[in-house]
mmCIF file of all heavy atoms in Angstrom:
data_model
loop_
_atom_site.group_PDB
_atom_site.id
_atom_site.type_symbol
_atom_site.label_atom_id
_atom_site.label_comp_id
_atom_site.label_asym_id
_atom_site.label_seq_id
_atom_site.Cartn_x
_atom_site.Cartn_y
_atom_site.Cartn_z
ATOM 1 N N ALA W 1 0.233 -61.519 42.088
ATOM 2 C CA ALA W 1 0.156 -62.816 41.408
ATOM 3 C C ALA W 1 1.413 -63.645 41.679
ATOM 4 O O ALA W 1 1.331 -64.865 41.887
ATOM 5 C CB ALA W 1 -0.031 -62.608 39.903
ATOM 6 N N THR W 2 2.578 -62.998 41.684
ATOM 7 C CA THR W 2 3.827 -63.715 41.964
ATOM 8 C C THR W 2 3.824 -64.269 43.378
ATOM 9 O O THR W 2 4.251 -65.410 43.616
ATOM 10 C CB THR W 2 5.037 -62.785 41.769
ATOM 11 O OG1 THR W 2 4.999 -62.212 40.462
ATOM 12 C CG2 THR W 2 6.339 -63.553 41.942
ATOM 13 N N ALA W 3 3.340 -63.487 44.328
ATOM 14 C CA ALA W 3 3.260 -63.954 45.716
ATOM 15 C C ALA W 3 2.324 -65.151 45.835
ATOM 16 O O ALA W 3 2.607 -66.104 46.579
ATOM 17 C CB ALA W 3 2.796 -62.820 46.625
ATOM 18 N N VAL W 4 1.207 -65.127 45.104
ATOM 19 C CA VAL W 4 0.269 -66.253 45.129
ATOM 20 C C VAL W 4 0.931 -67.507 44.572
ATOM 21 O O VAL W 4 0.790 -68.611 45.126
ATOM 22 C CB VAL W 4 -1.004 -65.912 44.328
ATOM 23 C CG1 VAL W 4 -1.871 -67.154 44.119
ATOM 24 C CG2 VAL W 4 -1.812 -64.836 45.045
ATOM 25 N N VAL W 5 1.677 -67.367 43.488
ATOM 26 C CA VAL W 5 2.390 -68.508 42.902
ATOM 27 C C VAL W 5 3.404 -69.072 43.891
ATOM 28 O O VAL W 5 3.626 -70.293 43.954
ATOM 29 C CB VAL W 5 3.085 -68.084 41.589
ATOM 30 C CG1 VAL W 5 4.010 -69.189 41.082
ATOM 31 C CG2 VAL W 5 2.049 -67.738 40.525
ATOM 32 N N MET W 6 4.016 -68.215 44.698
ATOM 33 C CA MET W 6 5.002 -68.655 45.687
ATOM 34 C C MET W 6 4.361 -69.287 46.914
ATOM 35 O O MET W 6 5.078 -69.832 47.761
ATOM 36 C CB MET W 6 5.876 -67.470 46.109
ATOM 37 C CG MET W 6 6.783 -66.943 45.012
ATOM 38 S SD MET W 6 7.673 -65.447 45.517
ATOM 39 C CE MET W 6 8.691 -66.070 46.846
ATOM 40 N N GLY W 7 3.042 -69.190 47.033
ATOM 41 C CA GLY W 7 2.367 -69.843 48.148
ATOM 42 C C GLY W 7 1.597 -68.934 49.076
ATOM 43 O O GLY W 7 0.979 -69.407 50.041
ATOM 44 N N TRP W 8 1.627 -67.625 48.811
ATOM 45 C CA TRP W 8 0.867 -66.703 49.662
ATOM 46 C C TRP W 8 -0.615 -66.838 49.386
ATOM 47 O O TRP W 8 -1.043 -66.888 48.240
ATOM 48 C CB TRP W 8 1.309 -65.266 49.402
ATOM 49 C CG TRP W 8 0.493 -64.238 50.138
ATOM 50 C CD1 TRP W 8 0.447 -64.053 51.478
ATOM 51 C CD2 TRP W 8 -0.389 -63.256 49.561
ATOM 52 N NE1 TRP W 8 -0.395 -63.012 51.793
ATOM 53 C CE2 TRP W 8 -0.932 -62.504 50.640
ATOM 54 C CE3 TRP W 8 -0.775 -62.942 48.262
ATOM 55 C CZ2 TRP W 8 -1.830 -61.464 50.435
ATOM 56 C CZ3 TRP W 8 -1.667 -61.911 48.050
ATOM 57 C CH2 TRP W 8 -2.187 -61.179 49.131
ATOM 58 N N ARG W 9 -1.395 -66.914 50.441
ATOM 59 C CA ARG W 9 -2.846 -66.990 50.314
ATOM 60 C C ARG W 9 -3.477 -65.887 51.155
ATOM 61 O O ARG W 9 -3.269 -65.833 52.369
ATOM 62 C CB ARG W 9 -3.375 -68.360 50.783
ATOM 63 C CG ARG W 9 -2.908 -69.526 49.930
ATOM 64 C CD ARG W 9 -3.449 -69.430 48.513
ATOM 65 N NE ARG W 9 -2.991 -70.520 47.670
ATOM 66 C CZ ARG W 9 -1.914 -70.473 46.886
ATOM 67 N NH1 ARG W 9 -1.182 -69.354 46.845
ATOM 68 N NH2 ARG W 9 -1.561 -71.488 46.144
ATOM 69 N N PRO W 10 -4.222 -64.973 50.533
ATOM 70 C CA PRO W 10 -4.847 -63.883 51.296
ATOM 71 C C PRO W 10 -5.779 -64.430 52.369
ATOM 72 O O PRO W 10 -6.513 -65.401 52.139
ATOM 73 C CB PRO W 10 -5.637 -63.112 50.221
ATOM 74 C CG PRO W 10 -5.026 -63.498 48.921
ATOM 75 C CD PRO W 10 -4.538 -64.909 49.091
ATOM 76 N N THR W 11 -5.742 -63.809 53.539
ATOM 77 C CA THR W 11 -6.622 -64.218 54.638
ATOM 78 C C THR W 11 -7.866 -63.337 54.702
ATOM 79 O O THR W 11 -8.660 -63.463 55.626
ATOM 80 C CB THR W 11 -5.867 -64.130 55.980
ATOM 81 O OG1 THR W 11 -5.375 -62.795 56.163
ATOM 82 C CG2 THR W 11 -4.691 -65.099 55.993
ATOM 83 N N VAL W 12 -8.012 -62.440 53.731
ATOM 84 C CA VAL W 12 -9.163 -61.535 53.686
ATOM 85 C C VAL W 12 -9.944 -61.800 52.403
ATOM 86 O O VAL W 12 -9.489 -62.505 51.506
ATOM 87 C CB VAL W 12 -8.713 -60.062 53.741
ATOM 88 C CG1 VAL W 12 -8.063 -59.752 55.078
ATOM 89 C CG2 VAL W 12 -7.767 -59.731 52.593
ATOM 90 N N GLY W 13 -11.140 -61.220 52.337
ATOM 91 C CA GLY W 13 -11.989 -61.412 51.179
ATOM 92 C C GLY W 13 -11.537 -60.604 49.972
ATOM 93 O O GLY W 13 -10.644 -59.761 50.063
ATOM 94 N N PRO W 14 -12.174 -60.850 48.820
ATOM 95 C CA PRO W 14 -11.802 -60.148 47.586
ATOM 96 C C PRO W 14 -11.926 -58.633 47.691
ATOM 97 O O PRO W 14 -11.109 -57.904 47.123
ATOM 98 C CB PRO W 14 -12.799 -60.709 46.553
ATOM 99 C CG PRO W 14 -13.245 -62.021 47.116
ATOM 100 C CD PRO W 14 -13.230 -61.851 48.589
ATOM 101 N N MET W 15 -12.926 -58.141 48.418
ATOM 102 C CA MET W 15 -13.121 -56.698 48.516
ATOM 103 C C MET W 15 -11.964 -56.041 49.270
ATOM 104 O O MET W 15 -11.500 -54.955 48.888
ATOM 105 C CB MET W 15 -14.443 -56.388 49.214
ATOM 106 C CG MET W 15 -15.668 -56.796 48.421
ATOM 107 S SD MET W 15 -15.681 -56.094 46.744
ATOM 108 C CE MET W 15 -15.785 -54.351 47.129
ATOM 109 N N ALA W 16 -11.494 -56.673 50.342
ATOM 110 C CA ALA W 16 -10.362 -56.131 51.092
ATOM 111 C C ALA W 16 -9.089 -56.179 50.245
ATOM 112 O O ALA W 16 -8.265 -55.248 50.284
ATOM 113 C CB ALA W 16 -10.161 -56.908 52.386
ATOM 114 N N LEU W 17 -8.943 -57.244 49.483
ATOM 115 C CA LEU W 17 -7.777 -57.366 48.604
ATOM 116 C C LEU W 17 -7.789 -56.255 47.550
ATOM 117 O O LEU W 17 -6.760 -55.621 47.273
ATOM 118 C CB LEU W 17 -7.776 -58.741 47.946
ATOM 119 C CG LEU W 17 -6.530 -59.130 47.143
ATOM 120 C CD1 LEU W 17 -5.308 -59.165 48.042
ATOM 121 C CD2 LEU W 17 -6.736 -60.490 46.482
ATOM 122 N N LEU W 18 -8.952 -56.016 46.974
ATOM 123 C CA LEU W 18 -9.082 -54.944 45.986
ATOM 124 C C LEU W 18 -8.873 -53.574 46.621
ATOM 125 O O LEU W 18 -8.321 -52.661 45.987
ATOM 126 C CB LEU W 18 -10.457 -55.013 45.313
ATOM 127 C CG LEU W 18 -10.678 -56.174 44.347
ATOM 128 C CD1 LEU W 18 -12.127 -56.196 43.863
ATOM 129 C CD2 LEU W 18 -9.727 -56.083 43.156
ATOM 130 N N ALA W 19 -9.327 -53.429 47.873
ATOM 131 C CA ALA W 19 -9.136 -52.154 48.577
ATOM 132 C C ALA W 19 -7.653 -51.874 48.789
ATOM 133 O O ALA W 19 -7.193 -50.732 48.614
ATOM 134 C CB ALA W 19 -9.872 -52.179 49.911
ATOM 135 N N ALA W 20 -6.894 -52.908 49.170
ATOM 136 C CA ALA W 20 -5.452 -52.743 49.380
ATOM 137 C C ALA W 20 -4.757 -52.387 48.067
ATOM 138 O O ALA W 20 -3.916 -51.479 48.019
ATOM 139 C CB ALA W 20 -4.857 -54.019 49.968
ATOM 140 N N LEU W 21 -5.122 -53.094 46.996
ATOM 141 C CA LEU W 21 -4.541 -52.795 45.685
ATOM 142 C C LEU W 21 -4.941 -51.392 45.227
ATOM 143 O O LEU W 21 -4.110 -50.639 44.703
ATOM 144 C CB LEU W 21 -4.991 -53.842 44.665
ATOM 145 C CG LEU W 21 -4.525 -53.632 43.212
ATOM 146 C CD1 LEU W 21 -3.008 -53.617 43.125
ATOM 147 C CD2 LEU W 21 -5.104 -54.718 42.303
ATOM 148 N N GLY W 22 -6.204 -51.037 45.440
ATOM 149 C CA GLY W 22 -6.679 -49.716 45.045
ATOM 150 C C GLY W 22 -5.966 -48.599 45.779
ATOM 151 O O GLY W 22 -5.620 -47.569 45.185
ATOM 152 N N LEU W 23 -5.719 -48.800 47.082
ATOM 153 C CA LEU W 23 -5.006 -47.781 47.862
ATOM 154 C C LEU W 23 -3.581 -47.620 47.349
ATOM 155 O O LEU W 23 -3.086 -46.492 47.203
ATOM 156 C CB LEU W 23 -5.000 -48.163 49.338
ATOM 157 C CG LEU W 23 -4.274 -47.199 50.282
ATOM 158 C CD1 LEU W 23 -4.922 -45.817 50.249
ATOM 159 C CD2 LEU W 23 -4.259 -47.744 51.712
ATOM 160 N N ALA W 24 -2.925 -48.743 47.067
ATOM 161 C CA ALA W 24 -1.554 -48.686 46.552
ATOM 162 C C ALA W 24 -1.507 -47.964 45.201
ATOM 163 O O ALA W 24 -0.636 -47.128 44.962
ATOM 164 C CB ALA W 24 -0.985 -50.097 46.421
ATOM 165 N N VAL W 25 -2.451 -48.285 44.329
ATOM 166 C CA VAL W 25 -2.498 -47.653 43.011
ATOM 167 C C VAL W 25 -2.789 -46.161 43.132
ATOM 168 O O VAL W 25 -2.201 -45.332 42.432
ATOM 169 C CB VAL W 25 -3.555 -48.339 42.115
ATOM 170 C CG1 VAL W 25 -3.801 -47.535 40.835
ATOM 171 C CG2 VAL W 25 -3.110 -49.753 41.758
ATOM 172 N N PHE W 26 -3.683 -45.809 44.043
ATOM 173 C CA PHE W 26 -4.023 -44.397 44.243
ATOM 174 C C PHE W 26 -2.808 -43.605 44.712
ATOM 175 O O PHE W 26 -2.527 -42.509 44.202
ATOM 176 C CB PHE W 26 -5.163 -44.265 45.256
ATOM 177 C CG PHE W 26 -5.519 -42.839 45.574
ATOM 178 C CD1 PHE W 26 -6.114 -42.024 44.620
ATOM 179 C CD2 PHE W 26 -5.237 -42.301 46.822
ATOM 180 C CE1 PHE W 26 -6.423 -40.696 44.906
ATOM 181 C CE2 PHE W 26 -5.541 -40.987 47.118
ATOM 182 C CZ PHE W 26 -6.144 -40.181 46.151
ATOM 183 N N ILE W 27 -2.071 -44.142 45.685
ATOM 184 C CA ILE W 27 -0.867 -43.463 46.170
ATOM 185 C C ILE W 27 0.166 -43.391 45.054
ATOM 186 O O ILE W 27 0.857 -42.367 44.879
ATOM 187 C CB ILE W 27 -0.289 -44.182 47.400
ATOM 188 C CG1 ILE W 27 -1.257 -44.062 48.586
ATOM 189 C CG2 ILE W 27 1.073 -43.618 47.766
ATOM 190 C CD1 ILE W 27 -1.513 -42.645 49.032
ATOM 191 N N GLY W 28 0.284 -44.473 44.276
ATOM 192 C CA GLY W 28 1.211 -44.455 43.145
ATOM 193 C C GLY W 28 0.836 -43.403 42.125
ATOM 194 O O GLY W 28 1.697 -42.707 41.580
ATOM 195 N N TRP W 29 -0.478 -43.264 41.858
ATOM 196 C CA TRP W 29 -0.923 -42.275 40.877
ATOM 197 C C TRP W 29 -0.678 -40.861 41.387
ATOM 198 O O TRP W 29 -0.287 -39.978 40.624
ATOM 199 C CB TRP W 29 -2.401 -42.469 40.564
ATOM 200 C CG TRP W 29 -2.872 -41.667 39.384
ATOM 201 C CD1 TRP W 29 -2.511 -41.851 38.085
ATOM 202 C CD2 TRP W 29 -3.770 -40.556 39.406
ATOM 203 N NE1 TRP W 29 -3.142 -40.912 37.277
ATOM 204 C CE2 TRP W 29 -3.918 -40.109 38.060
ATOM 205 C CE3 TRP W 29 -4.474 -39.900 40.422
ATOM 206 C CZ2 TRP W 29 -4.745 -39.033 37.728
ATOM 207 C CZ3 TRP W 29 -5.289 -38.833 40.075
ATOM 208 C CH2 TRP W 29 -5.423 -38.402 38.741
ATOM 209 N N ALA W 30 -0.891 -40.644 42.682
ATOM 210 C CA ALA W 30 -0.587 -39.336 43.273
ATOM 211 C C ALA W 30 0.897 -39.022 43.126
ATOM 212 O O ALA W 30 1.287 -37.883 42.814
ATOM 213 C CB ALA W 30 -0.997 -39.317 44.744
ATOM 214 N N THR W 31 1.734 -40.041 43.317
ATOM 215 C CA THR W 31 3.177 -39.860 43.165
ATOM 216 C C THR W 31 3.557 -39.613 41.711
ATOM 217 O O THR W 31 4.545 -38.919 41.426
ATOM 218 C CB THR W 31 3.918 -41.097 43.701
ATOM 219 O OG1 THR W 31 3.457 -41.402 45.017
ATOM 220 C CG2 THR W 31 5.419 -40.866 43.748
ATOM 221 N N SER W 32 2.786 -40.167 40.775
ATOM 222 C CA SER W 32 3.066 -39.970 39.352
ATOM 223 C C SER W 32 3.056 -38.497 38.977
ATOM 224 O O SER W 32 3.806 -38.065 38.098
ATOM 225 C CB SER W 32 2.031 -40.719 38.497
ATOM 226 O OG SER W 32 2.193 -42.101 38.582
ATOM 227 N N TRP W 33 2.208 -37.702 39.639
ATOM 228 C CA TRP W 33 2.162 -36.270 39.354
ATOM 229 C C TRP W 33 3.463 -35.594 39.757
ATOM 230 O O TRP W 33 3.917 -34.648 39.098
ATOM 231 C CB TRP W 33 0.978 -35.629 40.072
ATOM 232 C CG TRP W 33 -0.322 -35.939 39.416
ATOM 233 C CD1 TRP W 33 -1.234 -36.887 39.789
ATOM 234 C CD2 TRP W 33 -0.861 -35.314 38.239
ATOM 235 N NE1 TRP W 33 -2.301 -36.899 38.913
ATOM 236 C CE2 TRP W 33 -2.105 -35.932 37.960
ATOM 237 C CE3 TRP W 33 -0.415 -34.290 37.400
ATOM 238 C CZ2 TRP W 33 -2.890 -35.563 36.876
ATOM 239 C CZ3 TRP W 33 -1.202 -33.924 36.315
ATOM 240 C CH2 TRP W 33 -2.425 -34.553 36.061
ATOM 241 N N ILE W 34 4.085 -36.080 40.824
ATOM 242 C CA ILE W 34 5.384 -35.529 41.230
ATOM 243 C C ILE W 34 6.436 -35.855 40.179
ATOM 244 O O ILE W 34 7.208 -34.980 39.750
ATOM 245 C CB ILE W 34 5.803 -36.084 42.606
ATOM 246 C CG1 ILE W 34 4.753 -35.756 43.665
ATOM 247 C CG2 ILE W 34 7.169 -35.540 43.009
ATOM 248 C CD1 ILE W 34 5.042 -36.352 45.038
ATOM 249 N N PHE W 35 6.466 -37.122 39.742
ATOM 250 C CA PHE W 35 7.448 -37.520 38.733
ATOM 251 C C PHE W 35 7.172 -36.840 37.391
ATOM 252 O O PHE W 35 8.116 -36.522 36.651
ATOM 253 C CB PHE W 35 7.449 -39.043 38.572
ATOM 254 C CG PHE W 35 8.088 -39.770 39.720
ATOM 255 C CD1 PHE W 35 7.350 -40.572 40.568
ATOM 256 C CD2 PHE W 35 9.446 -39.648 39.959
ATOM 257 C CE1 PHE W 35 7.933 -41.235 41.628
ATOM 258 C CE2 PHE W 35 10.054 -40.308 41.016
ATOM 259 C CZ PHE W 35 9.297 -41.106 41.854
ATOM 260 N N ALA W 36 5.908 -36.608 37.075
ATOM 261 C CA ALA W 36 5.580 -35.895 35.834
ATOM 262 C C ALA W 36 6.114 -34.466 35.888
ATOM 263 O O ALA W 36 6.642 -33.946 34.891
ATOM 264 C CB ALA W 36 4.068 -35.895 35.609
ATOM 265 N N LEU W 37 5.974 -33.823 37.047
ATOM 266 C CA LEU W 37 6.512 -32.478 37.212
ATOM 267 C C LEU W 37 8.026 -32.477 37.045
ATOM 268 O O LEU W 37 8.591 -31.595 36.382
ATOM 269 C CB LEU W 37 6.131 -31.942 38.595
ATOM 270 C CG LEU W 37 6.637 -30.539 38.943
ATOM 271 C CD1 LEU W 37 6.105 -29.502 37.960
ATOM 272 C CD2 LEU W 37 6.244 -30.175 40.373
#
């Protein structure tokens, strides 16, 4: 959202944008198990 406010405009559709966010969140969640340990 901050990048969009600064002027960034995605060149891909909503599904690709959600896929990128989903992948980042998934990797973050996998990493959360390491930090939890």
Side-chain angles (χ1 to χ4, degrees):
T2 305
V4 169
V5 171
M6 293 175 64
W8 175 67
R9 295 295 179 267
T11 57
V12 295
M15 293 306 296
L17 188 62
L18 289 174
L21 177 60
L23 179 61
V25 169
F26 177 68
I27 293 298
W29 191 68
T31 309
S32 290
W33 285 100
I34 302 176
F35 287 113
L37 179 60

